[in-house]
Amino acid sequence: MAHPDDPSLSDRTSDALTAAHLYYMQDLTMEAIARELHTSRSSVSRLLSQARTSGLVDIQIRSPLDATSRVEKLILNRFQVTAHVVPVPDHASDVDRLERVALSVARILGEFFDSNMIMGIAWGSTMNAVSRHVTPKRTHNAQIVQLNGAGNTRSTGLDYANEILQRFSNAFGARLEQFPVPTFFDDPATRTAYWRERGLRRLLEMQRNMDVALFSVGSPFSNVPSHVYVGGYLDDDELTALSDAGVVGDVATVFYRADGSTDGIPLNDRGTGPELSVLRRTPRRICVVSGQSKVDSLRGALAANLITDLFIDESSARALCE
């Protein structure tokens, strides 16, 4: 922690830091802190909350009995993936489940991303939820690059994708590089021509040099619909073609089957997401999943070796291991 007398801090940040010192370092109760700061207990509670959400306080939980849970060990042994299993009651709604998982990854994302690094992010419903909770961390010369285009026949998609990615950019003080192309081209030849443009070649090169990739798995079967399946990106014929090809899901709008294969899926020839080989070369590949309806898609992504770190709710993690 910084010292509360640091003159560069605002008064409220200084108060939050003082309250955090008293509460976490000196074990004072909120009532005692309120008396010391000449304020109310509710004000102290708000100051402590600010200290946590702003990154002044970093809370870690270490079990005295076991470093990882049983299901995390099962996932590690079976899939060679580091799992972060988020406790969520079985009766929780899918929306609440998503929020809890998103909050968990958002709070510790800064442990994976630092100065002089590039992080690629795929837009979507899950990343939208994560972006609203990211704990701020100042970085230097860090960059965030959009992984796939967001335009469709209804919209350029720039506003939707920018809102999500800008939150990450603001949290880390990183430069944002958007990917100004549609999600799917009408013709594979058009994509080939675009990929020769110098401006896009620069973005594609950034993707190839990513240190971190952050994404979820899309699924046509999810109870919290994946944006690409309900946002006007795919027509009925394209959805039928995906079903006929045995597609179980996608990462950054690159579609795959249960065995992780992508060959012979025509829509991938028109898509703007990174080739899965590009993702596999990325040292840290963080996948965020909530809801058992995404487990089949997750299994396909694991079969394709796309994930190094998995954030997942407890019931979905159990279903993955069954």
Side-chain angles (χ1 to χ4, degrees), residues 49-191:
S49 177
Q50 179 188 343
R52 291 191 298 270
T53 58
S54 65
L56 293 173
V57 170
D58 177 21
I59 299 175
Q60 300 184 36
I61 299 174
R62 296 185 177 90
S63 169
L65 303 177
D66 199 350
T68 56
S69 72
R70 174 178 171 272
V71 69
E72 287 173 341
K73 285 183 176 179
L74 282 173
I75 292 172
L76 178 61
N77 291 335
R78 188 171 301 177
F79 302 105
Q80 290 73 56
V81 165
T82 300
H84 307 260
V85 176
V86 181
V88 180
D90 288 342
H91 59 76
S93 69
D94 285 294
V95 172
D96 184 44
R97 189 178 305 277
L98 171 58
E99 282 297 306
R100 293 194 188 202
V101 175
L103 181 60
S104 296
V105 63
R107 288 283 170 83
I108 68 169
L109 184 59
E111 295 180 12
F112 303 103
F113 186 58
D114 213 330
S115 297
N116 303 308
M117 295 177 72
I118 299 173
M119 177 161 61
I121 300 178
W123 52 265
S125 304
T126 300
M127 290 303 103
N128 188 28
V130 174
S131 71
R132 294 195 298 268
H133 303 292
V134 180
T135 299
K137 173 184 176 179
R138 305 316 295 174
T139 63
H140 170 71
N141 195 38
Q143 301 173 82
I144 289 174
V145 62
Q146 183 177 329
L147 282 183
N148 53 324
N152 60 26
T153 56
R154 301 178 186 175
S155 165
T156 64
L158 291 175
D159 288 343
Y160 175 74
N162 180 70
E163 183 178 8
I164 296 171
L165 273 68
Q166 193 65 57
R167 294 189 191 116
F168 289 100
S169 174
N170 292 341
F172 293 111
R175 189 173 85 243
L176 172 60
E177 296 283 359
Q178 285 195 266
F179 202 32
V181 293
T183 308
F184 304 103
F185 289 107
D186 289 335
D187 189 321
T190 307
R191 185 182 75 169

Side-chain angles (χ1 to χ4, degrees), residues 18-30:
T18 298
H21 268 282
L22 296 174
Y23 187 77
Y24 293 107
M25 307 300 289
Q26 300 182 31
D27 290 333
L28 268 65
T29 65
M30 281 194 273

